[in-house]
Amino acid sequence: MAALFNRLSKACLTSTKHNFKISTYARHMSNIPEDTVYGGPKPQNPDKRVTLTTLRAKHRKGEGITMVTAYDYPSAVHLDTAGIDIALVGDSASMVVHGYDTTLPITLEEMLVHCRSVARGAKRPLLVGDLAFGTYESSSQQAVDTAVRVLKEGGMDAIKLEGGAPSRISAAKHIVEAGIAVMGHVGLTPQAISVLGGFRPQGKNVLSAVKVVETALALQDAGCFSVVLECVPAPVAAAATAVLKIPTIGIGAGPFCSGQVLVYHDLLGMMQHPHHAKVTPKFCKQFALVGEVITKALSEYKQEVENRSFPGIMHSPYKINGAEVDGFMKELQKMGLDKAAAAVAEVAENFVGDKN
C-alpha cells in the first residue's frame, strides 16, 4: 500500500504542470465529491436534486431547511413543485392516512408502498423514510436490514429512526456504517408513547432537558446527518442546535432550530374530519384551510349530481356523428329495444358531432 501511495505521489508531483496537486489527490482518494461520480438515475446537480451536501451548505450559511411529510404521489408532487428541501415519508401516515390513533400500527410493507409513491412524485427533495415501529428495535442487524429495504424497495435517500437509548444509538451507527444516511429523532418520540405516558412534550425539567441535548450529541457521534427535535421548549432546542455540528429540524421546538418540519395534512388545514381534528397538534400553523375547500367541493358535486346539472354539455365531450346515430337507432330497433332507440333520439340533438 505504501509503495502504491509513493507511486501516486511521484505521479502527482510530475503532473503539476497540468495543475494537479498532491493534496487534491490525497484528500479525494477515499472521499470523491458527489458532483464527480456516477450517481445513478437521480441528477447530482444541486439545482435539480437536494443532497446531504446541499443541506450542509444551507446549514453552514444559516439558511432555514424545509421538511414536510408526504405519503403519496400527489403530496410528493406538491412538495417538489414548492421546492421543499426534504420529503419525509413519516410513520405519521398511520394516523393521518390510515386513521389510527398512534403511529404504532403501520407496518414496514405499508411504509414501503408510501415510500415508492413519494419517490415517483418528488424528483428534487431529499427523500427520507421513517423506520416503522417493530422493524429495527430487536438488533442492529434488523435495523440495517430494514434500512436497506427502505432504500432499495422504497426508493428513499435516507432513513429516520426515533429515540436515544443505547440500542438506538448503536442501530444508527451500524446503519451509517452500512452506507445509509440516518436522521435521528429526539424529544417527543411518538413510537415510545407507552413509556412516555402519551404524546407529552419533553425537556421541561433539568434532567429531561439535559437528556435531549446528550441524546442529540450521541446521535451526531453515531454519524447522523441531522436530528429532529420534537416538542421540546425553545431554549432546549436552542442549546442543542448551538452545540451540534449537524442541522436540527424542529417540530414544536421553537424558532431556533436549523430547519422546520410539519405534517402535510396539518399545515394545509385538512383536519376537518373529527379524527384529524383530534390529532392536530397545538404547535401547528395552518397555512391554508384545504379541508374546508375539499368539503365545499364535494358538497357542490353531490348537489349537482342530485339535481342533474352535472355533467352538462361542456363535460360530455365525446360526440357521435348523425349518420352513426341513425344507424345505431336502427340497430336498436332491430333488436326490439324501441325504448333505448327513443332515448337516443331524444338526446341526440345536443350530443351529435360532425364526421370528425
Side-chain angles (χ1 to χ4, degrees), residues 32-256:
I32 302 174
E34 288 187 34
D35 59 355
T36 64
V37 297
Y38 174 67
K42 299 174 182 176
Q44 293 294 307
N45 186 330
D47 295 329
K48 297 180 180 179
R49 185 79 187 180
V50 175
T51 65
L52 298 190
T53 301
T54 313
L55 299 181
R56 292 184 188 113
K58 294 194 74 169
H59 180 230
R60 187 170 59 251
K61 296 175 184 177
E63 299 175 357
I65 296 169
T66 56
M67 182 162 81
V68 178
T69 63
Y71 311 103
D72 54 21
Y73 180 82
S75 58
V77 170
H78 283 303
L79 266 63
D80 194 80
T81 304
I84 298 299
D85 295 318
I86 306 172
L88 171 65
V89 184
D91 59 358
S92 48
S94 180
M95 301 174 73
V96 299
V97 177
H98 295 273
Y100 294 112
D101 290 330
T102 72
T103 63
L104 304 184
I106 197 164
T107 67
L108 174 59
E109 298 302 326
E110 289 170 329
M111 284 295 298
L112 289 174
V113 171
H114 290 298
C115 287
R116 287 191 289 268
S117 299
V118 170
R120 286 190 287 268
K123 304 305 179 185
R124 180 186 178 277
L126 183 79
L127 305 180
V128 180
D130 262 338
L131 297 191
F133 178 71
T135 67
Y136 65 101
E137 297 88 347
S138 296
S139 67
S140 292
Q141 186 60 55
Q142 184 198 31
V144 171
D145 291 344
T146 300
V148 167
R149 291 193 66 189
V150 171
L151 265 65
K152 290 189 70 172
E153 299 177 36
M156 297 290 99
D157 300 313
I159 64 93
K160 181 171 75 67
L161 56 74
E162 292 186 9
S167 60
R168 304 296 173 86
I169 302 298
S170 177
K173 184 174 185 294
H174 280 81
I175 294 171
V176 172
E177 289 175 350
I180 299 171
V182 177
M183 175 179 282
H185 185 154
V186 300
L188 169 58
T189 48
Q191 291 180 3
I193 57 171
S194 63
V195 175
L196 299 177
F199 294 102
R200 299 180 180 278
Q202 302 299 299
K204 296 183 68 175
N205 58 55
V206 173
L207 290 178
S208 180
V210 169
K211 182 179 179 182
V212 169
V213 176
E214 288 180 338
T215 303
L217 283 167
L219 287 166
Q220 175 180 261
D221 292 342
C224 291
F225 71 89
S226 180
V227 175
V228 171
L229 303 176
E230 181 168 358
C231 294
V232 300
V236 177
T241 302
V243 74
L244 290 173
K245 296 178 182 178
I246 59 176
T248 57
I249 307 296
I251 177 166
F256 306 113

Side-chain angles (χ1 to χ4, degrees), residues 300-313 315:
E300 290 178 0
Y301 165 75
K302 175 178 180 291
Q303 181 180 1
E304 290 192 15
V305 170
E306 289 177 344
N307 65 25
R308 302 290 187 176
S309 62
F310 175 83
I313 295 176
H315 296 102

Side-chain angles (χ1 to χ4, degrees), residues 239-275:
T241 302
V243 74
L244 290 173
K245 296 178 182 178
I246 59 176
T248 57
I249 307 296
I251 177 166
F256 306 113
C257 295
S258 312
Q260 298 291 328
V261 59
L262 284 176
V263 169
Y264 181 84
H265 296 69
D266 293 347
L267 77 88
L268 291 179
M270 295 178 70
M271 304 306 177
Q272 307 305 310
H273 187 280
H275 175 77

